[in-house]
Amino acid sequence: MFLGSIGVIPEAYQAISETTLAYELHTTPSGNTVLAFSSCSPDYTTRFLTGEFDLVPSENLQVVDFIPTKVNSSFSINKAAVELFQQLGDDLKELEHKHINSSLIITGSGLGGYLAILSTLRLHHAIDVEESNGSKKTKRPICITFGSPLIGDKDFKSAIDERPQWKSSFLNVVARKDPIASFFSSESRYKPFGTFLFCVESGGHAAFEDQDSILPVLEAMKSSNDDNTQVYDYTKVLYLGSYELDEFNLNSLRAGIKLQLKEVDVLSDIKNDDIGKMENQAKKNPYEPTKKLNEMKISLTYMEWYMTGQKRKGCGYYDGYKNPKTREEIVGQQEILKHQGRLNQYWKDIVVEKDRMPQKEGAKLRKRWLWGGNNYRRIVEPLDIADYYKKGNVKYIENRPNHYKLLEKWLDEDKDSNSSEVTRNKAASLTEDSCFWARVEEALILLRNMVNGGSINADKELEEFEAYVMREIESYAVSPDIFLKGSSLMTWWNGYKAYKGTAYASEFARYMNNESYDSYK
């Protein structure tokens, strides 16, 4: 599962806010299953912030006996994490095992993040055991924490790093003003693992995954939070902010690192030596499949936040990208183009590689990558379509890139073999047909031709387009943002309505004339 899947981050935080017991299962509006841990009591958090809990050795701690390896047989872990995890007993373990074959998101905020981390690690261990016994049905969890403090020492980190599938499943969202998240930093024995997404309330955010980058940022945040003991509300930072144009004119690795630090308002607090270490670490960057996958997760997260930002501004993802109006929108588009290019190249290579494999082996790997690949397709292909039509091209679907066609074909084959597919009863957060906007663009072209006295066949094709959109609405397969004022679909409808006249009646026309889309959610 991809950490950057659409809506996953805010949905995870929403699940935490709705959790009243120690932990609860939730089904999100987009259909994800989330195991959420509640935040710890204010008294316990205060005890933590006064330094009552520190590292304890793992020897004789049976509650975390699923973490050691032959190479890293012992480690140190925060006492609060052990104490809190012990209190949950075997019921949680049984719940985890019930979801060993489903894509589970595990989440927690503050010290509740400790519980999410340990629950995820224990489930990974159980999956390792199942797979060693020949199981091919298991699915790896992902863990999203909000402001979780560092949990263990370098040996703890090393034990996680030994298992690439474990390491790649952790995302810790950290707000600059969160005192719990930055409680342990570079001056302690604690070491980070996984990806850290740093955020500020102005909307800036930056993602890092190596400790030489993470620890200085935590240290800079800690220095500004020394007198703060308030539990942080992460709804303040779950959106995309703006960028400064001048930074994008600097084509250097160091400039890119400094831009990320500036985004989270810590650039002035980071030493030049630490920036140099970050730069050197980035230059090493050897090819490693898991590392590459992590980079794609980060890029997809940026794409998701760009999409959310466009919706918050009242313009759709597609039209906001295709027709940027303000300086801020132009700069945001420039940043997204980099991530769009990386994702396209990565998935083109993956699809070519999988398609060349023998049928049996290829099918197994396609199943493993299917979810992530099609999430990428639904997010990125609309932007490729926008670029295509902006250049004056026509008939995108006839010239559609092969890797998109194969990803969709493999998904359809998987659906055909999966009889337990759930019928949707809420609007999709992401339009399922990634060619939806290509169909809208063709409808706009047909309408212009008709208005100018073109082919009569265009009338029939537009009625077929109406029926297509209505089917997508009835099956909740389109995102509500297609109905935003000024979207390409609404532009087409207004022109089509004027051409057809007020007497024209169809199921779609009635739906639009009655403004039924206002209640489409």
Side-chain angles (χ1 to χ4, degrees):
M1 180 178 288
F2 265 49
L3 291 173
S5 58
I6 185 67
V8 164
I9 295 174
E11 284 184 350
Y13 192 71
Q14 181 65 25
I16 296 169
S17 67
E18 295 173 356
T19 299
T20 56
L21 303 177
Y23 57 88
E24 292 177 14
L25 276 177
H26 301 264
T27 300
T28 69
S30 59
N32 292 309
T33 303
V34 177
L35 171 58
F37 291 89
S38 61
S39 300
C40 291
S41 69
D43 288 344
Y44 200 93
T45 301
T46 299
R47 288 168 58 195
F48 178 86
L49 290 172
T50 56
E52 184 173 330
F53 304 100
D54 205 351
L55 292 169
V56 293
S58 62
E59 288 86 349
N60 302 319
L61 290 178
Q62 291 186 352
V63 70
V64 290
D65 62 3
F66 46 86
I67 297 175
T69 66
K70 289 182 180 179
V71 177
N72 293 281
S73 58
S74 63
F75 53 85
S76 292
I77 183 172
N78 186 270
K79 183 180 178 181
V82 175
E83 195 173 275
L84 292 168
F85 201 56
Q86 276 179 323
Q87 294 172 5
L88 298 180
D90 290 335
D91 288 346
L92 173 62
K93 188 174 182 179
E94 292 176 8
L95 179 63
E96 292 164 358
H97 201 79
K98 286 180 182 178
H99 291 271
I100 204 166
N101 295 329
S102 60
S103 299
L104 188 64
I105 299 167
I106 305 178
T107 189
S109 181
L111 297 183
Y114 277 170
L115 299 175
I117 290 169
L118 292 178
S119 176
T120 302
L121 293 174
R122 184 164 63 186
L123 183 52
H124 271 304
H125 174 73
I127 289 172
D128 286 346
V129 172
E130 290 289 315
E131 290 182 351
S132 68
N133 291 328
S135 175
K136 297 179 181 178
K137 296 180 180 180
T138 56
K139 293 184 179 179
R140 297 281 172 178
I142 64 169
C143 179
I144 304 174
T145 60
F146 297 87
S148 177
L150 302 183
I151 188 173
D153 67 353
K154 64 180 180 63
D155 294 320
F156 184 98
K157 167 184 165 58
S158 296
I160 308 305
D161 289 350
E162 275 190 60
R163 292 99 139 192
Q165 288 183 302
W166 293 29
K167 176 185 173 183
S168 64
S169 64
F170 289 90
L171 174 69
N172 191 16
V173 183
V174 176
R176 195 202 201 294
K177 295 183 179 180
D178 187 345
I180 301 174
S182 58
F183 190 71
F184 301 122
S185 56
S186 59
E187 300 301 316
S188 70
R189 292 167 53 203
Y190 291 82
K191 302 299 177 188
F193 62 91
T195 300
F196 277 61
L197 189 62
F198 294 102
C199 314
V200 290
E201 291 178 16
S202 63
H205 60 279
F208 297 103
E209 58 181 28
D210 66 275
Q211 68 178 37
D212 288 335
S213 301
I214 294 167
L215 290 173
V217 178
L218 288 176
E219 185 64 31
M221 290 183 168
K222 180 179 174 63
S223 65
S224 64
N225 287 325
D226 284 342
D227 298 326
N228 181 13
T229 59
Q230 297 296 314
V231 175
Y232 191 79
D233 177 7
Y234 273 80
T235 57
K236 297 177 181 178
V237 296
L238 294 181
Y239 65 93
L240 179 69
S242 60
Y243 298 90
E244 292 195 23
L245 186 62
D246 292 344
E247 296 287 357
F248 286 94
N249 295 328
L250 300 174
N251 185 22
S252 73
L253 177 60
R254 192 176 187 88
I257 293 169
K258 291 176 75 173
L259 174 59
Q260 289 201 75
L261 296 173
K262 186 174 183 178
E263 274 288 285
V264 288
D265 196 26
V266 296
L267 178 59
S268 61
D269 300 318
I270 302 288
K271 298 175 183 177
N272 282 330
D273 287 348
D274 288 328
I275 295 175
K277 289 178 182 177
M278 297 179 192
E279 188 177 4
N280 290 334
Q281 183 66 29
K283 284 177 180 176
K284 293 177 184 177
N285 195 29
Y287 177 78
E288 174 190 338
T290 301
K291 184 174 181 63
K292 194 71 176 174
L293 179 57
N294 272 336
E295 291 173 358
M296 295 308 105
K297 291 175 182 177
I298 292 168
S299 284
L300 206 60
T301 299
Y302 272 92
M303 301 292 285
E304 173 195 345
W305 283 33
Y306 174 78
M307 179 185 295
T308 303
Q310 293 295 82
K311 290 179 181 178
R312 285 179 181 271
K313 293 171 187 173
C315 59
Y317 175 51
Y318 177 80
D319 289 283
Y321 174 87
K322 185 182 177 187
N323 302 304
K325 294 181 174 62
T326 67
R327 177 177 179 271
E328 180 185 2
E329 289 174 354
I330 292 169
V331 175
Q333 184 195 59
Q334 289 177 347
E335 171 66 2
I336 286 305
L337 281 169
K338 294 190 296 185
H339 296 290
Q340 181 184 353
R342 290 173 193 156
L343 287 161
N344 276 334
Q345 190 56 57
Y346 175 77
W347 282 105
K348 283 176 183 177
D349 292 343
I350 287 291
V351 169
V352 168
E353 177 187 342
K354 303 319 176 213
D355 196 40
R356 287 174 178 168
M357 290 184 175
Q359 183 62 29
K360 186 175 181 181
E361 184 180 358
K364 176 184 175 183
L365 284 169
R366 287 200 292 268
K367 182 77 173 177
R368 186 184 305 168
W369 292 89
L370 195 59
W371 195 92
N374 279 283
N375 193 53
Y376 145 77
R377 173 176 62 82
R378 288 169 179 150
I379 291 176
V380 177
E381 189 171 14
L383 304 190
D384 289 350
I385 291 169
D387 289 331
Y388 182 89
Y389 283 96
K390 197 168 185 178
K391 294 173 183 176
N393 297 318
V394 296
K395 298 189 181 301
Y396 170 85
I397 294 175
E398 293 181 13
N399 300 288
R400 190 184 186 195
N402 192 53
H403 73 292
Y404 285 135
K405 290 191 281 189
L406 285 174
L407 283 169
E408 186 169 11
K409 174 175 175 281
W410 294 338
L411 180 65
D412 290 340
E413 290 172 352
D414 183 67
K415 285 180 179 177
D416 290 341
S417 64
N418 183 6
S419 58
S420 61
E421 189 176 357
V422 179
T423 301
R424 188 185 289 277
N425 58 12
K426 291 183 179 179
S429 58
L430 189 63
T431 298
E432 291 188 1
D433 179 5
S434 56
C435 287
F436 176 85
W437 292 109
R439 302 183 202 282
V440 174
E441 294 283 1
E442 292 299 322
L444 282 164
I445 293 169
L446 285 170
L447 178 61
R448 284 195 294 270
N449 290 342
M450 258 187 10
V451 170
N452 294 327
S455 170
I456 298 176
N457 291 333
D459 204 0
K460 181 181 179 183
E461 290 181 57
L462 286 176
E463 289 177 5
E464 290 173 353
F465 173 71
E466 274 190 76
Y468 155 76
V469 177
M470 199 66 230
R471 287 194 303 272
E472 297 297 287
I473 293 169
E474 289 173 341
S475 59
Y476 294 99
V478 287
S479 169
D481 70 336
I482 69 170
F483 298 116
L484 288 173
K485 184 179 179 181
S487 77
S488 292
L489 178 69
M490 296 302 280
T491 299
W492 170 81
W493 163 246
N494 290 329
Y496 188 62
K497 179 181 177 182
Y499 177 81
K500 284 291 203 178
T502 55
Y504 177 67
S506 70
E507 186 180 5
F508 181 73
R510 284 190 294 273
Y511 183 88
M512 298 301 289
N513 287 329
N514 294 334
E515 298 183 353
S516 300
Y517 50 80
D518 284 342
S519 59
Y520 179 78
K521 296 178 181 177

